[in-house]
Amino acid sequence: MTADKTTMELAFRTVDRVRIRYAEAGRGVGETVVLTSPWPESLLAFRKVWGRLAERLHVIAIDLPGFGQSDRRLDLFAPKAMGAFLVKLVNEWQLGTVHFVGPDVGTSAQLWAAATNPDLVRSLVIGGGAMAFPLQTGGALKAIIESPNMDWVTDSAQTLGPVYDAIPGGTPAEIKADYLASYAGDRFVESARYVRSYPVELPLLAEILPTILTPVLLMSGANDELVPLVNAEFLHERLPNSRMGMLQAGHFAWEEVSDQYADGLLDWIGGGYRELSAASNHLKEES
């Protein structure tokens, strides 16, 4: 890795026989944090917060299988299976106990990981992923989930280009090129299998939310039109150890208000998650 922690040096590594694109910095600096790529972006979505995190934490960002530029495996395009994959990654890479940061599609996968392997997950920072059931989504996401075959997508660049252009603050040409390459050909349509599994998978996940004792920060855009606020509220009502940390942004909060997003992560991992857990344990003792 380079000495400049502000630069995301991209590399590939295998997990469960799947080639994964990742970036890593800050090894030995502090607690380990694993960030998973939002959709339809890549791990470069974290470029604005990377340097600040790497100064204080051991950070690893990955493109989930079939997202970004990681290889795909069709059986992993569902939250429960993706959660199991994340557990394998932590174990195979010998990361120990980790904090997961999973905006967008990472939300449901990381909840499954925490539910099935709580000893590996120190805390979660999630949000911006559909969770409420019946589904509460809007715009293009609603159309994708309800589409029987997505045959209306004839050119992923034409479909996704305007999405990247509309992110407040703009998307640099080289970052946009990475995003477009990540979903070129049939990769965008194939990756949509993940969200199209929601009608079957989300009710199963909803049933076990009250059993997840891992501290959870729900941090996403309060003005998100694709994944409205009701999804975070749905989780907050059901997760025993959760805190709302909504930001004044739309769907791409990690890019739109990156300083606030980094502040939230550092405050949480720097001690916020411990305070929440301690307060929860105190209430249990009093009851």
Side-chain angles (χ1 to χ4, degrees):
M1 310 304 293
T2 64
D4 182 3
K5 293 179 181 177
T6 64
T7 300
M8 298 183 76
E9 182 173 321
L10 307 181
F12 288 86
R13 188 173 175 183
T14 299
V15 180
D16 193 25
R17 305 181 305 281
V18 181
R19 194 178 71 132
I20 298 299
R21 187 172 71 160
Y22 76 104
E24 182 177 11
R27 179 178 288 275
V29 171
E31 298 192 51
T32 298
V33 182
V34 178
L35 305 98
T36 63
S37 56
W39 181 64
E41 296 180 296
S42 73
L43 58 80
L44 292 179
F46 300 115
R47 69 195 182 279
K48 295 181 180 180
V49 303
W50 187 254
R52 290 186 60 192
L53 298 183
E55 289 177 354
R56 293 171 52 182
L57 303 164
H58 173 209
V59 286
I60 299 170
I62 68 165
D63 282 337
L64 290 166
F67 296 91
Q69 294 188 27
S70 289
D71 289 351
R72 59 186 168 189
R73 209 173 74 199
L74 295 186
D75 63 301
L76 296 177
F77 283 131
K80 188 174 183 179
M82 193 69 81
F85 176 86
L86 290 175
V87 170
K88 289 182 179 179
L89 182 145
V90 171
N91 286 326
E92 288 189 20
W93 290 7
Q94 300 180 345
L95 299 179
T97 305
V98 305
H99 298 272
F100 274 124
V101 177
D104 196 69
V105 291
T107 292
S108 51
Q110 294 181 11
L111 283 167
W112 272 114
T116 56
N117 289 264
D119 292 342
L120 290 180
V121 185
R122 188 157 288 166
S123 81
L124 299 178
V125 181
I126 53 178
M131 280 302 310
F133 201 84
L135 286 169
Q136 302 290 320
T137 57
L141 180 58
K142 179 178 174 63
I144 290 171
I145 293 173
E146 296 179 350
S147 175
N149 53 29
M150 290 187 63
D151 57 2
W152 47 273
V153 178
T154 57
D155 186 324
S156 61
Q158 289 184 357
T159 301
L160 297 176
V163 174
Y164 307 138
D165 293 337
I167 295 175
T171 303
E174 67 276 13
I175 303 301
K176 181 179 178 180
D178 182 89
Y179 292 168
L180 289 173
S182 296
Y183 299 99
D186 66 349
R187 283 183 62 88
F188 175 59
V189 171
E190 286 293 302
S191 65
R193 290 172 178 259
Y194 188 92
V195 297
R196 290 168 66 194
S197 77
Y198 285 175
V200 172
E201 292 256 330
L202 292 188
L204 300 176
L205 181 52
E207 291 181 4
I208 66 169
L209 291 177
T211 71
I212 300 175
L213 302 181
T214 303
V216 178
L217 175 62
L218 301 165
M219 188 168 66
S220 55
N223 307 317
D224 190 340
E225 296 182 356
L226 289 177
V227 185
L229 182 61
V230 65
N231 289 278
E233 294 171 339
F234 180 89
L235 289 175
H236 188 49
E237 290 170 0
R238 290 162 177 79
L239 291 168
N241 291 329
S242 64
R243 176 182 296 171
M244 294 281 278
M246 307 307 290
L247 304 173
Q248 291 304 307
H251 182 67
F252 300 95
W254 46 92
E255 298 212 41
E256 296 175 34
V257 288
S258 57
D259 284 345
Q260 295 175 40
Y261 197 84
D263 287 342
L265 289 176
L266 292 171
D267 287 347
W268 174 257
I269 297 169
Y273 79 95
R274 293 192 188 94
E275 296 170 4
L276 179 63
S277 184
S280 176
N281 290 336
H282 181 65
L283 289 174
K284 289 177 184 176
E285 291 173 359
E286 290 185 338
S287 63

